[in-house]
Amino acid sequence: MSERVRHGHGALAFRALANGEIAVYFRYQDEGRRRQINLGRFGADGSRGKLTLADARAKAGDLARRHADETVALRELLESESRERNAALRAATQGTFDQLLMAYCAALKVEGKQSAGQAVALFDKWVRKEFPHLLLRKAGHITHNDIMEILKGAVKANMTRTVNKLRSYLLAAFNRAITANGDPSLAVEVGSAATLYGIGINPVAATKRVRKFEKKNVGNKLTEEDIRHIWTALEDMPLEIKNFVRLNFRLAGQRIAQLMRLKGSDIDLANGTLCLWDTKGRRDEPRKHTLPIPRQAVGLIEELLGRHGNDYLFSKDGAKPLEPTSISNALKEIRNNKKGSGIYARDLRTTAESRLSEMNIDPEIRGRLLSHGLTGLQYTHYDKGEYLPQLHQVLHQWNEWLDQLLAGESYKRGNVIPFKRMGGE
């Protein structure tokens, strides 16, 4: 069935389909050829997006008018208009605040930054969930007031330390996007939308870090009784948890997240060394942190190698390392079984640093052992030594103390270990 819309310039046609619906078409002549455009499906009440008779006649009338104005390539015209609308929509959604946040988190993941997960969680909770209306706004149109509202949301929820963390990640995300506009390699990492952000001034820079919310994440020094209690309680823990904590004791308190990423391929038992990868701080590539393996740690490592081979040693399946929180939760469980003993993962590192200081180990070699930030021109550009002999000596003394402690004996303090550079006198 069909009806003429405008003499010589098209007709409205209806055709019953096998599924019982009625298709609506506009039929017209294009340089002597009969052509048609699908307008949709007919529905008397216009429900579910269907066309009423009035809707169909209006659409057909518009096309007939265009045809009468000598635009006979109607299908091509509609396709061109559709492409232009889509291009305009895509341009409107490029360089948005949401894209900026996603690109920043993706870059952190690519670089292996342990902070990537925390940044994703903070943005999801305090930006995407609380301020969804800001996400599709151009990043260059986000204002200081917008950022203040986001941060005030965390303050009102009494999430004190979160406020400064959230601010730091937002500041870094905008700075990275700004830098990407002038750095070709970074623009590729951040994404093709980098040049569309249009950010003139970082809107986070005008906000202030709340100093009263600062709290140093400093651990407590464990007593000898605490250490013995932890060591014994670990017997009831899964192998990966038990060996992780004991290995970390044997290595004098390495960073939890770094040791958690240890792979079998990072271990050289023949030469008695293992490598951790330090991603902490503002560095493009992880810094290699090589440590001697104390003889007391060999058995712990061999057990894990037998289970996971060259993959992640502290893992359920070797494909992905356990979360650092698994260690915190295990220690909390131990703490709860011993009243008055507040044990946290960071306490292992604090205890090792304190005990090494009491053993008169030079602060600089303690820094080398625990992978503290070594700054300055000399360390950054020239001093690339691994200092394995000195580190081996310190770890030997540390494990001698630990063995005597676990055996219930008193430690006899040895001689001071001075810091000597490789090849030095």
Side-chain angles (χ1 to χ4, degrees):
M1 184 183 78
S2 65
E3 65 176 49
R4 186 170 60 187
V5 179
R6 189 167 182 172
H7 183 67
H9 296 293
L12 184 61
F14 300 86
R15 182 165 65 89
L17 302 177
N19 62 3
E21 293 189 334
I22 299 176
V24 185
Y25 299 93
F26 176 73
R27 290 176 178 165
Y28 64 102
Q29 293 288 325
D30 180 359
E31 296 182 347
R33 296 175 57 195
R34 185 179 178 185
R35 306 187 72 176
Q36 67 181 23
I37 296 173
N38 186 355
L39 299 182
R41 296 290 184 266
F42 173 77
D45 58 359
S47 62
R48 293 187 296 175
K50 293 183 178 181
L51 301 173
T52 64
L53 182 58
D55 294 333
R57 285 171 173 167
K59 283 193 172 188
D62 178 64
L63 292 173
R65 178 186 56 76
R66 295 190 183 200
H67 193 273
D69 289 338
E70 300 185 352
T71 303
V72 295
L74 289 177
R75 182 182 296 174
E76 291 78 3
L77 174 64
L78 295 180
E79 289 174 351
S80 174
E81 290 178 347
S82 178
R83 285 194 298 270
E84 289 178 5
R85 284 196 302 272
N86 286 330
L89 286 171
R90 288 192 181 97
T93 57
Q94 290 294 306
T96 64
F97 184 34
D98 192 35
Q99 284 182 321
L100 180 145
L101 299 180
M102 289 192 296
Y104 173 68
C105 293
L108 292 182
K109 289 180 180 178
V110 169
E111 293 167 3
K113 297 291 187 182
Q114 62 192 63
S115 57
Q118 186 178 63
V120 170
L122 289 175
F123 291 157
D124 283 348
K125 181 174 179 59
W126 300 105
V127 182
R128 292 191 175 91
K129 183 179 178 181
E130 300 295 329
F131 298 91
H133 63 283
L134 295 178
L135 298 177
L136 294 181
R137 188 182 297 178
K138 288 278 191 178
H141 296 165
I142 296 295
T143 67
H144 162 263
N145 289 336
D146 295 326
I147 299 299
M148 283 295 292
E149 288 302 312
I150 293 171
L151 297 178
K152 281 161 60 178
V155 173
K156 290 175 182 176
N158 200 31
M159 304 296 290
T160 53
R161 292 191 64 218
T162 296
V163 177
N164 287 339
K165 286 182 182 179
L166 179 59
R167 179 189 177 276
S168 293
Y169 285 127
L170 287 169
L171 182 69
F174 274 96
N175 279 338
R176 191 179 188 93
I178 291 170
T179 305
N181 287 332
D183 184 338
S185 63
L186 192 56
V188 171
E189 292 178 22
V190 171
S192 60
T195 56
L196 300 177
Y197 286 129
I199 305 168
I201 299 174
N202 190 328
V204 190
T207 65
K208 292 183 178 180
R209 193 173 186 86
V210 186
R211 296 192 179 277
K212 67 179 181 180
F213 292 164
E214 294 290 346
K215 180 181 178 182
K216 293 292 183 181
N217 196 23
V218 179
N220 297 311
K221 178 183 172 184
L222 299 173
T223 66
E224 294 184 0
E225 182 186 4
D226 286 333
I227 296 173
R228 291 192 192 98
H229 173 69
I230 293 171
W231 198 272
T232 301
L234 287 168
E235 285 296 337
D236 298 325
M237 296 287 176
L239 177 67
E240 284 78 10
I241 299 295
K242 176 180 71 174
N243 284 19
F244 180 91
V245 178
R246 288 184 174 179
L247 180 60
N248 206 13
F249 267 122
R250 293 298 184 185
L251 295 176
Q254 300 302 313
R255 288 192 176 92
I256 300 294
Q258 288 175 22
L259 185 58
M260 188 63 77
R261 294 194 297 269
L262 181 66
K263 290 183 175 182
S265 56
D266 295 322
I267 294 171
D268 184 353
L269 286 178
N271 291 308
T273 60
L274 61 82
C275 294
L276 303 181
W277 299 95
D278 189 348
T279 60
K280 192 173 177 65
R282 298 178 181 178
R283 50 172 61 98
D284 295 329
E285 297 291 335
R287 180 167 63 83
K288 186 178 180 182
H289 179 43
T290 304
L291 292 169
I293 299 175
R295 61 175 176 80
Q296 295 92 333
V298 173
L300 300 172
I301 291 173
E302 286 179 335
E303 275 190 291
L304 296 165
L305 288 173
R307 178 175 291 192
H308 298 298
N310 287 331
D311 296 328
Y312 289 106
L313 297 186
F314 304 107
S315 169
K316 291 182 179 179
D317 56 7
K320 181 182 179 182
L322 297 174
E323 290 294 329
T325 52
S326 61
I327 302 303
S328 302
N329 293 336
L331 290 175
K332 286 178 182 178
E333 185 177 332
I334 294 173
R335 175 194 63 194
N336 290 338
N337 289 336
K338 182 172 182 287
K339 294 181 179 179
S341 179
I343 299 171
Y344 298 90
R346 60 182 178 268
D347 295 343
L348 307 185
R349 189 169 174 83
T350 300
T351 300
E353 178 86 43
S354 302
R355 296 288 182 177
L356 289 171
S357 176
E358 292 171 2
M359 293 177 184
N360 295 321
I361 306 300
D362 187 279
E364 191 170 352
I365 200 168
R366 295 203 309 266
R368 291 279 180 181
L369 176 63
L370 299 177
S371 191
H372 290 318
L374 300 174
T375 57
L377 183 65
Q378 178 181 1
Y379 293 119
T380 304
H381 297 288
Y382 301 112
D383 191 347
K384 301 300 182 182
E386 293 180 334
Y387 301 93
L388 290 177
Q390 295 94 326
L391 298 183
H392 178 80
Q393 187 180 5
V394 172
L395 282 175
H396 173 75
Q397 185 169 336
W398 164 259
N399 278 279
E400 185 183 46
W401 170 81
L402 187 57
D403 285 343
Q404 292 177 4
L405 182 152
L406 295 174
E409 301 173 8
S410 298
Y411 176 72
K412 297 178 181 178
R413 181 177 295 181
N415 295 326
V416 174
I417 298 180
F419 181 75
K420 296 172 67 176
R421 301 193 182 281
M422 297 293 287
E425 296 297 328

